[in-house]
Amino acid sequence: STIRRFFSVGITLAMVFLAVLLGLWVWRDYLIYPWTRDGQVDAYVVGIAARVSAPMVKVAVRDNQWVNRGDLLFEIDPTDFRQREAAALASLQRSRVKAENLGREVERRRSLVASQLISLEEFQTIETQHAEALADIAVDEAQLALARLDLSYTRVLAPVSGYVTNLQVAEGTYVTEGQPLVALVDYESAWVYGFFKETDLENIRAGDRAQVRFMGRHFHPMAAVV
């Protein structure tokens, strides 16, 4: 009948329309906005080693823990290094006093040599001693800076934000300079590899916006940039 024929034509047209919509969706999704299930996440790993040798007195983290940049990871026994700092400071103060005294002696003898009350050779000797005392100050200042630097190394801080992994020491362990302590997965450096067919690459350009969906979190996409 006419109604049945009209109904049949309507169904056919509806199916054709749906097929066209499906084709447009596939064309849009696969060609204009290509995607892939073949991907992986990667990140830089920052290895952290001891910069001084001494017993470990505090481990402030545990494996797989999240830490922020600047958080305390470890504390190495600072006792010896505080003593070295105090000794370097005392040596510097002694050198400064010596140089100050020799400086006054140089000025006092300058007028004496001008009046020929002492020989030029004697004056030059005291001048040399003063110059050596000034050089000793520079050496002691460097030694003090080094002692303070070593002391700062007894507190090991996180250089990046990320997850602790490969924790290798415990409290009481004697660590040596250069010994690996832990590794940090640098969260801010994380990136995603996506593997696409060559025919898809013409629609992917640097700077394009993208979405990353992780397994188990399909409905919580993460915004990304190519």
Side-chain angles (χ1 to χ4, degrees), residues 55-63 65 67 71-77 154-156 164 166-175 179 181-182:
M56 181 71 68
V57 294
K58 183 177 181 179
V59 176
V61 294
R62 62 184 183 277
D63 231 359
Q65 177 183 334
V67 294
D71 284 352
L72 177 67
L73 302 177
F74 308 101
E75 187 170 352
I76 298 170
D77 189 356
T154 62
R155 287 177 56 83
V156 183
V164 173
N166 199 26
L167 183 63
Q168 299 188 30
V169 291
E171 291 182 13
T173 304
Y174 187 90
V175 298
Q179 176 183 335
L181 302 177
V182 74

Side-chain angles (χ1 to χ4, degrees), residues 90-102:
S91 180
L92 175 59
Q93 291 173 339
R94 182 178 57 192
S95 295
R96 285 174 173 170
V97 170
K98 180 180 178 181
E100 185 177 349
N101 289 335
L102 287 171

Side-chain angles (χ1 to χ4, degrees), residues 16 77 85 87 95 100 109 146 175 193 197 200 206-207:
V16 170
D77 189 356
E85 179 191 29
S95 295
E100 185 177 349
R109 297 197 182 192
L146 183 59
V175 298
Y193 286 112
K197 296 181 295 185
D200 293 335

Side-chain angles (χ1 to χ4, degrees), residues 39-223:
Q40 65 183 40
V41 181
D42 210 342
Y44 290 119
V45 177
V46 180
I48 299 174
R51 302 187 69 172
V52 291
S53 301
M56 181 71 68
V57 294
K58 183 177 181 179
V59 176
V61 294
R62 62 184 183 277
D63 231 359
N64 300 317
Q65 177 183 334
W66 169 268
V67 294
N68 293 310
R69 183 194 304 267
D71 284 352
L72 177 67
L73 302 177
F74 308 101
E75 187 170 352
I76 298 170
D77 189 356
T79 305
D80 290 349
F81 303 99
R82 286 174 179 163
Q83 293 297 325
R84 293 175 190 175
E85 179 191 29
L89 181 58
S91 180
L92 175 59
Q93 291 173 339
R94 182 178 57 192
S95 295
R96 285 174 173 170
V97 170
K98 180 180 178 181
E100 185 177 349
N101 289 335
L102 287 171
R104 286 196 294 265
E105 189 67 18
V106 166
E107 293 306 316
R108 188 178 71 85
R109 297 197 182 192
R110 192 185 306 278
S111 59
L112 295 179
V113 75
S115 303
Q116 297 183 348
L117 296 176
I118 62 171
S119 67
L120 178 60
E121 181 180 1
E122 184 178 350
F123 176 72
Q124 289 175 338
T125 298
I126 198 67
E127 270 194 325
T128 301
Q129 292 174 351
H130 181 235
E132 290 175 349
L134 293 176
D136 288 341
I137 289 177
V139 171
D140 288 340
E141 286 176 340
Q143 292 294 332
L144 178 59
L146 183 59
R148 286 175 172 170
L149 187 62
D150 285 342
L151 179 59
S152 72
Y153 291 154
T154 62
R155 287 177 56 83
V156 183
L157 308 180
V160 297
S161 298
Y163 288 97
V164 173
T165 184
N166 199 26
L167 183 63
Q168 299 188 30
V169 291
E171 291 182 13
T173 304
Y174 187 90
V175 298
T176 58
E177 183 179 351
Q179 176 183 335
L181 302 177
V182 74
L184 291 181
V185 179
D186 185 359
Y187 181 79
E188 295 179 357
S189 74
W191 67 91
V192 177
Y193 286 112
F195 301 92
F196 292 85
K197 296 181 295 185
E198 290 184 7
T199 53
D200 293 335
L201 295 180
E202 63 181 10
N203 294 312
I204 302 176
R205 296 178 177 82
D208 286 350
R209 289 181 296 177
Q211 284 188 350
V212 178
R213 298 176 185 268
F214 298 101
M215 292 181 62
R217 296 179 58 85
H218 180 78
F219 296 105
H220 298 84
M222 184 179 71

